[in-house]
């Protein structure tokens, strides 16, 4: 069943059914060359997974008690949907010496968080904000079948920096360093571990990891890539498409971004009980865009 009318440029790709691991293992016993290759791959992944786990532990910290980004979990939600003209994003990139669209959007979000937190009385110099930036590990030429292959980067948002251009440069440098390291290194790669845990351990570890999210990051900022397509609802053309990111346990705010046509759509989801003033953050987003457009 479809909510929207038939897409014009999008086709459904059926997911590949999961294989039977026991049958696959038995099949390798009759193929010594493939068995040796599989064992080497397993050992390499084991070392890689240990490296990720060690990095996660090293980067855990106690969140600042005065941070509005953390609160007891609540089912109540507030949403804000903010469109940003893609032309403004490109203007900012040109004015400030390049970078990616995602770098500029991160700078916009950082500027908005700085303004919003300062207005509510938070000392932005004393309350760091670290964001989880999910990334897809699937290569561009890889078929879109099966489950998502996700990793992530942890990125400190420089809300203590008063200069908008310096904030953008700081974010651009940190994201470049993250990309140079690759999606399988650093504490942000902890989603990779989920697919490598034995099933029994997975059931035990998943609740513990979800409750420990505030020890690693303060909010999630995810960029949802969308292909160019046209869609309609009962004949009416869809002109805006806003994504929403889930709230991790203990978090009060999550942000999702997607580019649809000539607009960058920002969807903000908040814990209603913790952030009754979320509309102030929504108002700060276009102000942060103007600040970067006008800045030098």
């Amino acid at each position: 069943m479809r909510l929207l009318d038939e897409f014009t440029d999008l086709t459904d790709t059926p997911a590949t059914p999961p294989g039977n691991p026991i049958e696959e293992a038995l099949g390798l016993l009759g193929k010594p060359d493939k068995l040796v290759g599989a064992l080497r791959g397993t050992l390499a992944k084991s070392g890689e997974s240990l490296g990720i786990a060690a990095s996660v532990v090293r980067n855990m910290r106690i969140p600042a008690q005065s941070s509005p980004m953390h609160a007891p979990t609540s089912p109540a939600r507030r949403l804000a949907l903010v469109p940003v003209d893609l032309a403004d994003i490109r203007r900012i990139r040109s004015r400030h010496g390049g970078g990616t669209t995602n770098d500029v959007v991160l700078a916009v979000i950082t500027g908005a968080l700085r303004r919003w937190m300062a207005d509510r009385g938070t000392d932005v110099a004393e309350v760091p904000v670290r964001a989880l930036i999910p990334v897809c590990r699937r290569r561009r030429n890889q078929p879109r079948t099966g489950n998502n292959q996700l990793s992530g980067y942890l990125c400190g948002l420089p809300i203590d920096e008063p200069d908008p251009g310096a904030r953008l440069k700081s974010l651009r440098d940190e994201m470049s360093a993250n990309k140079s390291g690759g999606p399988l290194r650093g504490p942000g790669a902890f989603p990779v571990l989920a697919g490598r845990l034995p099933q029994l351990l997975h059931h035990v570890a998943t609740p513990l990891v979800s409750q420990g999210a505030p020890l690693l990051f303060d909010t999630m900022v995810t960029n949802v890539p969308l292909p160019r397509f046209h869609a309609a609802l009962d004949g009416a053309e869809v002109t805006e498409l806003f994504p929403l990111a889930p709230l991790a346990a203990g978090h009060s705010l999550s942000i999702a971004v997607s580019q649809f046509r000539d607009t960058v759509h920002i969807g903000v989801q908040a814990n209603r009980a913790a952030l009754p003033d979320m509309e102030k953050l929504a108002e700060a987003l276009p102000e942060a865009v103007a600040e970067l457009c006008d800045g030098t």
Side-chain angles (χ1 to χ4, degrees):
M1 178 178 178
R2 291 179 180 272
L3 174 64
L4 301 176
D5 301 342
E6 193 73 21
F7 292 122
T8 57
D9 299 321
L10 223 56
T11 57
D12 292 328
T13 304
T16 302
N20 186 316
I22 296 178
E23 290 181 359
E24 291 175 0
L26 290 174
L28 287 174
L29 291 178
K31 302 174 182 177
D33 55 335
K34 291 189 176 182
L35 177 59
V36 171
L39 289 174
R40 286 176 177 169
T42 299
L43 290 174
K45 286 186 176 181
S46 297
E48 192 174 65
S49 299
L50 286 174
I52 296 171
S55 183
V56 167
V57 172
R58 286 196 304 270
N59 283 272
M60 286 184 172
R61 79 282 191 266
I62 303 299
Q65 292 185 348
S66 58
S67 174
M69 315 298 283
H70 301 278
T73 301
S74 167
R77 295 287 184 267
R78 298 196 72 182
L79 303 177
L81 309 176
V82 181
V84 176
D85 195 330
L86 183 59
D88 286 336
I89 299 296
R90 290 171 175 164
R91 189 175 300 114
I92 292 169
R93 289 175 58 188
S94 176
R95 178 180 290 272
H96 293 278
T100 67
T101 296
N102 195 52
D103 293 339
V104 174
V105 172
L106 281 176
V108 168
I109 291 169
T110 301
L113 287 173
R114 172 185 167 83
R115 186 183 297 264
W116 168 69
M117 291 172 68
D119 287 348
R120 70 193 330 264
T122 302
D123 188 346
V124 294
E126 298 295 329
V127 180
V129 176
R130 183 193 284 174
L132 170 66
I133 315 293
V135 295
C136 181
R137 295 188 295 119
R138 182 186 284 113
R139 297 175 181 175
R140 291 186 178 181
N141 58 353
Q142 189 174 347
R144 290 181 175 273
T145 57
N147 298 325
N148 288 330
Q149 298 177 23
L150 296 177
S151 183
Y153 301 133
L154 293 186
C155 181
L157 305 184
I159 62 167
D160 58 332
E161 171 56 60
D163 181 74
R167 287 197 296 267
L168 175 53
K169 183 180 185 306
S170 174
L171 288 163
R172 190 167 54 209
D173 291 345
E174 184 164 359
M175 288 302 293
S176 293
N178 279 328
K179 293 171 186 175
S180 295
L184 296 179
R185 293 187 180 181
F190 67 88
V192 176
L193 299 177
R196 298 180 178 178
L197 290 175
Q199 194 64 31
L200 181 60
L201 186 58
H202 196 284
H203 288 304
V204 176
T206 299
L208 296 177
V209 171
S210 64
Q211 295 299 320
L215 298 176
L216 268 183
F217 57 98
D218 304 295
T219 189
M220 178 166 62
V221 181
T222 181
N223 194 325
V224 183
L226 294 176
R228 296 190 67 87
F229 66 93
H230 296 281
L233 177 60
D234 195 24
E237 189 175 9
V238 175
T239 59
E240 293 186 319
L241 195 58
F242 289 91
L244 292 173
L247 277 181
H251 284 181
S252 60
L253 184 71
S254 67
I255 302 172
V257 180
S258 67
Q259 180 181 327
F260 184 61
R261 299 194 174 181
D262 293 323
T263 304
V264 174
H265 297 85
I266 302 177
V268 184
Q269 181 169 196
N271 179 328
R272 176 187 289 270
L275 301 181
D277 62 338
M278 196 192 70
E279 72 279 356
K280 299 295 184 182
L281 174 59
E283 293 169 3
L285 285 164
E287 293 172 354
V289 172
E291 184 180 41
L292 280 163
C293 282
D294 298 336
T296 55

